[in-house]
Amino acid sequence: MAFILIIASLVLFLWIVSLCKVLLLPRIPFAKHFTNNNGRAFRKRNVLLVIAHPDDESMFFTPTINFLTSKGHNVQILCLSIGDADGKGNIRKQELFQACVALKVPMQQVKIVNHPDLQDGFGKVWNHSLLAKIIEEEITSRCIDMIITFDSYGVSGHCNHRDVHYGVCKLLHDILQRDIEVWELCLVNEHSRRSGIAMAQHSSQWVWYACFTLLLL
Ligand SMILES: *[C@@H]1O[C@H](CO)[C@@H](O)[C@H](O)[C@H]1NC(C)=O
């Protein structure tokens, strides 16, 4: 019971931190880029969010997803593992689908890959060529014109996140024949309540959120 209370208060704290971000961070160019504010015709983008584990979308990309869907863009999610480091992969897969309900991303626009060479874990090196190939197939089959993914540090420093970043780089430099827009993570949280609801779907990972919150302190 005490444990649940601690987790609950940490989650609450995380919401407050997100709220502070809303109030303190200046608006960034990303928002301007996707808003029809200078007389140009609206162009609906087919955006692919590329993540490594179920819950990355809620942890790191909720503001981005909310922003894009609220402006009428089409967001699809490619998750490159089921996050089975602790043997909870099947639960985490379901949690991702539930989080996507909260994030208003239709289930058929969410794909979760479970490849033997791309398994969740701090010590696991993910093959960048393989990542590039999988992402390329997804881009082609879903007519994607924009990718969003982690920065080169992997946002939280997780090696799987970094490998995903470099997989996207490899795709851009070595494989893709056409122009595509790519953005690294940007952090502005305008819907902290929805972030909280999406995060709440990943109950198997609450211990990690607690650790992450402590790191923010
Ligand atoms: C990485 O993946 C590519 C594409 O699937 C494959 O050709 C290559 O052999 C792999 N490299 C390693 C070291 O496994």
Side-chain angles (χ1 to χ4, degrees):
M1 187 63 198
F3 180 70
I4 292 172
L5 272 177
I6 291 170
I7 297 290
S9 41
L10 284 171
V11 169
L12 182 69
F13 178 77
L14 192 61
W15 282 359
I16 293 166
V17 170
S18 315
L19 199 61
C20 292
K21 277 198 187 128
V22 181
L23 300 175
L24 299 178
L25 278 180
R27 280 192 157 264
I28 45 133
F30 179 84
K32 254 191 172 158
H33 191 78
F34 295 97
T35 317
N36 181 22
N37 61 352
N38 46 10
R40 275 181 295 169
F42 175 78
R43 183 157 76 89
K44 183 173 169 174
R45 313 292 179 97
N46 244 346
V47 182
L48 185 68
L49 172 66
V50 186
I51 56 174
H53 317 109
D55 82 355
D56 291 341
E57 79 303 330
S58 303
M59 275 281 255
F60 310 119
F61 295 96
T62 301
T64 311
I65 296 171
N66 286 337
F67 177 79
L68 290 170
T69 53
S70 73
K71 299 294 173 205
H73 300 290
N74 188 30
V75 176
Q76 322 215 15
I77 297 179
L78 174 62
C79 181
L80 289 155
S81 81
I82 60 169
D84 202 33
D86 302 321
K88 290 184 184 161
N90 284 328
I91 298 171
R92 295 187 68 185
K93 253 170 81 173
Q94 286 315 311
E95 287 173 348
L96 174 55
F97 288 123
Q98 285 161 20
C100 286
V101 173
L103 293 168
K104 300 195 188 321
V105 176
M107 214 157 148
Q108 63 274 20
Q109 293 181 194
V110 181
K111 178 165 176 183
I112 307 175
V113 174
N114 187 12
H115 191 287
D117 294 339
L118 305 175
Q119 289 297 312
D120 176 21
F122 281 105
K124 300 265 173 32
V125 178
W126 288 4
N127 178 338
H128 299 169
S129 307
L130 176 62
L131 288 165
K133 207 175 110 204
I134 293 174
I135 300 164
E136 200 255 337
E137 284 166 9
E138 216 47 33
I139 285 175
T140 309
S141 68
R142 301 205 216 173
C143 304
I144 297 297
D145 50 26
M146 186 182 142
I147 299 176
I148 297 178
T149 193
F150 303 101
D151 64 358
S152 58
Y153 180 66
V155 182
S156 63
H158 195 300
C159 58
N160 298 160
H161 299 178
R162 289 191 213 186
D163 283 335
V164 169
H165 171 91
Y166 288 111
V168 171
C169 291
K170 184 145 190 73
L171 168 72
L172 292 181
H173 295 143
D174 299 353
I175 301 179
L176 219 57
Q177 301 295 321
R178 61 185 171 99
D179 275 350
I180 190 163
E181 210 172 316
V182 178
W183 290 79
E184 295 178 351
L185 176 69
C186 49
L187 266 179
V188 176
N189 198 348
E190 294 180 13
H191 296 272
S192 48
R193 187 170 165 271
R194 206 185 287 169
S195 309
I197 294 170
M199 259 189 235
Q201 308 307 316
H202 293 283
S203 51
S204 72
Q205 301 302 302
W206 281 3
V207 173
W208 287 112
Y209 298 149
C211 295
F212 190 71
T213 310
L214 288 173
L215 282 177
L216 286 177
L217 288 169

